């Protein structure tokens, strides 16, 4: 596979940002992040994810106040069950699955 082809595959992936309080004890977000990853594992080849701190500048711009997942930089999901329900339809609408 060429480098250009690999770049296109990465650009076509769904962007998933996971926001948790990284400056606090992991026990504060462990259950949430484990739930999110158990959902994301099935779709790993279709997504590009990043774990970010709730203390970042991005959180202020997006007005985030707690553990959440942000899809494509705009859709905020605070409950893992909603992510499980909405992720497949979003991937289908983007033509990834």
């Amino acid at each position: 596979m060429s480098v250009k082809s690999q770049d296109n595959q990465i650009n076509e992936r769904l962007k998933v940002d996971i926001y948790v309080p990284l400056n606090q004890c992991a026990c504060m977000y462990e259950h949430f992040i484990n739930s999110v990853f158990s959902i994301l594992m099935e779709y790993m080849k279709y997504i590009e994810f990043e774990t970010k701190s709730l203390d970042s500048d991005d959180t202020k711009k997006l007005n985030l106040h707690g553990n959440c997942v942000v899809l494509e930089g705009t859709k905020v999901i605070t409950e893992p069950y909603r992510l499980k329900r909405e992720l497949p339809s979003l991937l289908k609408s983007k033509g990834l699955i």
Side-chain angles (χ1 to χ4, degrees), residues 15-96:
K15 186 170 178 4
V16 177
D17 295 320
I18 305 163
Y19 286 91
V20 291
L22 294 175
N23 61 344
Q24 295 181 8
C25 175
C27 63
M28 300 299 289
Y29 57 87
E30 178 182 20
H31 178 71
F32 177 80
I33 207 158
N34 285 340
S35 298
V36 168
F37 276 114
S38 70
I39 295 164
L40 295 180
M41 287 307 294
E42 183 178 346
Y43 306 102
M44 282 305 221
K45 63 183 175 183
Y46 307 112
I47 65 170
E48 176 186 345
F49 76 92
E50 192 173 343
T51 304
K52 298 182 175 183
S53 176
L54 275 172
D55 291 332
S56 69
D57 290 335
D58 292 340
T59 59
K60 293 174 184 92
K61 292 176 192 171
L62 294 169
N63 198 25
L64 305 177
H65 300 287
N67 297 340
C68 63
V69 176
V70 178
L71 304 173
E72 294 293 296
T74 58
K75 185 168 185 83
V76 178
I77 297 178
T78 58
E79 300 293 335
Y81 76 89
R82 283 189 52 221
L83 178 65
K84 185 173 186 166
R85 187 178 64 217
E86 295 181 29
L87 188 59
S89 61
L90 187 55
L91 288 168
K92 284 179 188 174
S93 72
K94 289 185 64 81
L96 296 172

